[in-house]
Amino acid sequence: MQVTNVNDVRVYNLTCGQKAIPEWINDDKRKKLKKEADVKQRIELIQGFEMPMLSSSITMTRDGQYIFVTGAYKPRVRCYDVNELSLKFERCFDHECIQMKVLSEDYSKVVFMHANRYIEFHSQVGNYHTIRTPKQGRDFDFRYSSCDLYSVGATDEIYRFNLEQGQFLEPIQSKSTGFNACQFNPEHELFACGSVEGHLECYDPRARAIAGQIDCAVYANSNSGSSLPAVSCVKFKDALNLAVGMSTGEILLFDIRSDKPYFIKDHNYNLPIKRIDFHAQNDDYILSIDRKICKIWNRHTGKNLTSIELGIPLNDMLNVPGSGLICLTNDSPKISVYYIPTLGNAPKWCTFLDNITEELEEKPADTVYDDYKFLTLKELDTLGLSHLIGSDLLRAYMHGYFMDIRLYNQAKTVAEPFAFAEYRKKKLREKIDLKREKSRVPLPIVPTVNKDLAEKLLHDEGDLSTKKKKKQKTSDNKEPASSVLKDTRFQSLFTNPDMQIDANHEAFKNIAPLVSRLNKQSVVEDDSASADEYQEEKEENNEDDDMMGDILTSDEEEEEERQKKLTPRKTKLVPVGEINEEDQEILRSLSFNERAKRASNSSKPTSTHLHHTNEIKVSANGKRRKIEDDHRKNVRRAPRGRMNSRRSET
């Protein structure tokens, strides 16, 4: 199923994707075709809703249960039961069918008009009776109150056949040489006929005389040639409103009380209007077709709601009463079926269409023609295809034309034979440039407009980035100003050639001294700023040295105190009188040499004591080094050149 969106109106093509299967194909091949993906995904509304070669006319019974379709080849009629969604019966004819009319509520009584002047009456069992008219008929209609069948054609007489008596009645004479269409008004039974001269003649069947005549050819387009516009179809809406289709593509809307149309609609294709239908549910819309297009439009304003174009000649149309389902017979085997939710809901026998369309509405619809290319008139001239304007190969749309994409590709290949080679070279050049950009050091891009000013701004930005910012408590939270080159407000200054600074202009010469003075002032300010920064850095370094000296002196004093505490105390000499008697006895018992050894051992520090004192010294020195390293990290370092200069000064 294909979905199109024209004027925000969704149109669902239920026949898209269906392939016509020949009748002579065997069952095995039919089964293989049904397994294809396209066949599985298609929506077949009515099984076998097609004809062997083409379909000509289509109609529906008044009870809405059966659809009759005539076609060829061979000439035949098929009746479809919409409740079963399948074919009910099929009958063949000896000659092509021109028109048909359902006389009963169901399929039991139908009449067919053939191309060999025969009119066949069919019952539910088959062909019931056949009559032949003196002249070839083109259209007919049935008067239910008197059971009379009125037939018009290539003659000035209107034939009447009474089905109750089974015989012809006296024909009605007219002034026209022939008629193309006719219809009875269902309310007051006024019989309207459209003549080949472009006249609309109305007859009262009770008096069998003409009741009125309207010259419709006056209001039609007469550019078709020497022949006068003829009336091609007639359709009553109610007791007063009447639509007349012309052979030149116009539709005239009349009030039968007036001889002038109150609205004229043109299909703009200069083709005869084949069928007109008033929508039953929405009275404001009219459906009309010619051999090229089916249009749905507002009868008050003439604005198109949407349109359906198959690309093949159209023959007839059926709008299922009270719904948005439309069936179009054409010169192809498949009968095209379209569903437009804007016109109405789906019929009760295919309500599943509403569920399908609701699911599809959740997905975005494709509004691009994938198989067509839109070209303007200038592009057509470039390709040398302007001579195709007016042919079937181009479809006019807005300010250009739609062309088949295959024809466009062929024409472009002929017009530009080296286009692919140039495209390939362009892609290769882009890849090479991309590799070069990755391998190179990125440089600032200088614009071509006001190049000197841009280079100066870039130089100033580079100087500001290399210099250190001053320490200002008030300016800690301030953000840096944006670059002039990156500011969108000044973008045109470096892109628009009209903004180029002219150094030879009088206005620029007048302000030249001021510009040079500002440049010199900026240089002096930069030098003074650099000198101030150098002095500040020098003072900061001196303060750091003083702090370092204080820290070192305090550390030395602490270390001396620790060494004093850690050194062992010297033994004091005790007088002999203060020694106990027991100790004195022990000393007397010892020899002189033993006494000297004990005295020397007591005065010297032990090895363990010395090891402990050495550990304390090492830990103290390590702690000192750690303090010095932490302090050096916190001290701000000056640039190399200036530090070297300070060292030389010191």
Side-chain angles (χ1 to χ4, degrees), residues 19-36 39:
K19 296 180 180 179
I21 301 175
E23 293 183 347
W24 44 265
I25 199 170
N26 55 27
D27 296 338
D28 295 337
K29 290 185 178 181
R30 285 178 183 270
K31 291 180 181 179
K32 290 181 181 179
L33 289 174
K34 289 181 180 179
K35 294 180 181 179
E36 293 182 1
V39 178

Side-chain angles (χ1 to χ4, degrees), residues 318-386:
L318 170 64
N319 177 219
V320 178
S323 71
L325 194 67
I326 301 173
C327 303
L328 299 174
T329 59
N330 50 74
D331 288 353
S332 67
K334 284 290 180 181
I335 300 170
S336 300
V337 182
Y338 292 87
Y339 177 51
I340 305 175
T342 307
L343 290 178
N345 298 327
K348 61 181 181 180
W349 46 270
C350 58
T351 53
F352 59 87
L353 286 178
D354 291 330
N355 299 329
I356 295 174
T357 54
E358 286 177 2
E359 294 176 359
L360 291 175
E361 283 180 357
E362 297 177 358
K363 302 177 182 179
D366 296 333
T367 58
V368 180
Y369 295 94
D370 295 332
D371 297 333
Y372 291 90
K373 175 71 175 178
F374 182 79
L375 299 173
T376 60
L377 186 60
K378 186 177 180 180
E379 292 174 344
L380 283 175
D381 293 336
T382 305
L383 296 175
L385 299 177
S386 57

Side-chain angles (χ1 to χ4, degrees), residues 224-266:
S224 58
S226 58
S227 60
L228 292 174
V231 177
S232 57
C233 66
V234 178
K235 181 67 177 180
F236 278 102
K237 179 184 180 296
D238 48 29
L240 298 177
N241 292 297
L242 171 68
V244 179
M246 304 300 294
S247 61
T248 54
E250 291 88 0
I251 300 170
L252 311 179
L253 300 181
F254 285 96
D255 188 329
I256 60 174
R257 296 170 295 183
S258 174
D259 59 349
K260 294 181 180 180
Y262 62 83
F263 193 82
I264 300 175
K265 173 68 176 178
D266 193 354

Side-chain angles (χ1 to χ4, degrees), residues 446-447 450-460 485 494:
V446 181
N450 292 327
K451 186 176 180 180
D452 298 337
L453 178 60
E455 289 178 351
K456 184 179 182 302
L457 293 173
L458 287 172
H459 183 266
D460 295 342
L485 293 171
F494 304 101

Side-chain angles (χ1 to χ4, degrees), residues 3 25 30 43 58 146 208 347 364 367 421 458 474 503 513 527 536 627:
V3 185
I25 199 170
R30 285 178 183 270
I43 296 177
I58 184 171
S146 61
R208 297 190 300 276
T367 58
L458 287 172
T474 57
D527 296 338
E536 288 178 0
I627 293 169

